[in-house]
Amino acid sequence: YNEQVAKTTFWSQNSFYGFNLNCLREEALAFYFSQPVVGPVSPQSLLAAPVVKQFNFNTLTIPELKKFTIPFQFCMGGMSMLHGFALWFDCRFPGSQRHIYLSTAPHEPLTHWYQVRALLRSPIPVGQDHVIVGELQFEANEARGYNIGVKCHNANTGMSAENTVITQCALHHFQYTSQTSSGMYNQPAAAPQPQPAAYLNAGSPSDSNSTQSATDKI
């Protein structure tokens, strides 16, 4: 979050070779925050348990893949600032002899897909057991990505925030600085979900195909 805000420093100059650039700062801010942030997410920075959206690619239609919505309701694990949402995916490949499981979740070994953050333009303060409700609206764009509409509000305080993040192959922000976190997500672990025997040795406790979680440090 701070890296994206820092990019607007150039556009805050009131005398750049005699030109006042302040009038372009808000437009620059909107552009930078429309970029997804790609990089490893520390599991300790997550404020709540993930919400899952499942896809069955044996039956999924093209219109269902081009446009879909992920509603969410997160119960916050402590007092912090909510800067955005972490996104990742898990895949299962059920073969005739063996089932393969691939996860890009923050708590799993890092892959070259990393994780993706969809930032809010303004962070939302949250407290212990506060409920964040909203939705992510995905709509395919012409750049082989999605326009992601992010809308959320704190049901306890009434504060809300939104943003539109545009994913495409050539335009994203890669996270450069290291992250620290106060480990606000202290909720007890969810009970394990029953799984088919064929998946018991898949190597991951997760049971999702597309996952997102609230995150505090971006």
Side-chain angles (χ1 to χ4, degrees):
Y1 182 89
N2 290 335
E3 288 181 11
Q4 297 297 73
V5 172
K7 289 181 179 181
T8 65
T9 302
F10 174 82
W11 304 101
S12 301
Q13 299 179 83
N14 56 23
S15 184
F16 180 74
Y17 292 97
F19 290 93
N20 187 340
L21 302 180
N22 269 290
C23 61
L24 298 174
R25 185 181 183 279
E26 284 302 314
E27 186 175 345
L29 192 67
F31 171 74
Y32 293 135
F33 274 85
S34 72
Q35 298 176 351
V37 179
V38 178
V41 171
S42 170
Q44 288 74 30
S45 70
L46 301 177
L47 288 171
V51 168
V52 175
K53 171 72 172 180
Q54 293 190 338
F55 298 92
N56 184 340
F57 284 94
N58 290 317
T59 59
L60 189 69
T61 66
I62 291 179
E64 289 173 331
L65 189 61
K66 282 186 174 181
K67 188 175 183 179
F68 57 90
T69 299
I70 304 179
F72 57 77
Q73 179 172 305
F74 294 111
C75 183
M76 298 293 100
M79 183 178 295
S80 189
M81 296 294 290
L82 172 64
H83 291 93
F85 298 89
L87 311 174
W88 63 86
F89 66 89
D90 301 337
C91 294
R92 280 180 173 164
F93 302 93
S96 58
Q97 302 296 322
R98 183 182 177 191
H99 288 196
I100 303 298
Y101 183 89
L102 168 68
S103 176
T104 65
H107 58 274
E108 298 286 353
L110 191 64
T111 73
H112 74 279
W113 286 287
Y114 298 99
Q115 291 89 39
V116 174
R117 300 165 185 80
L119 297 178
L120 299 171
R121 287 284 300 273
S122 299
I124 298 178
V126 298
Q128 178 73 40
D129 296 328
H130 281 194
V131 176
I132 301 295
V133 296
E135 63 182 16
L136 301 178
Q137 298 176 333
F138 289 74
E139 186 169 2
N141 57 39
E142 297 297 325
R144 295 191 299 172
Y146 285 98
N147 297 338
I148 307 175
V150 183
K151 296 180 180 180
C152 67
H153 76 274
N154 186 329
N156 296 81
T157 66
M159 293 190 65
S160 62
E162 60 182 52
N163 193 21
T164 299
V165 176
I166 302 173
T167 69
Q168 51 184 299
C169 293
L171 186 62
H172 64 266
H173 171 75
F174 190 83
Q175 169 211 330
Y176 292 103
T177 60
S178 61
Q179 297 183 45
T180 59
S181 173
S182 54
M184 286 297 159
Y185 177 40
N186 296 316
Q187 299 233 0
Q193 298 297 315
Q195 298 185 23
Y199 287 116
L200 291 182
N201 295 321
S204 173
S206 180
D207 187 28
S208 64
N209 297 92
S210 178
T211 312
Q212 83 261 0
S213 180
T215 180
D216 66 333
K217 297 293 184 182
I218 298 297

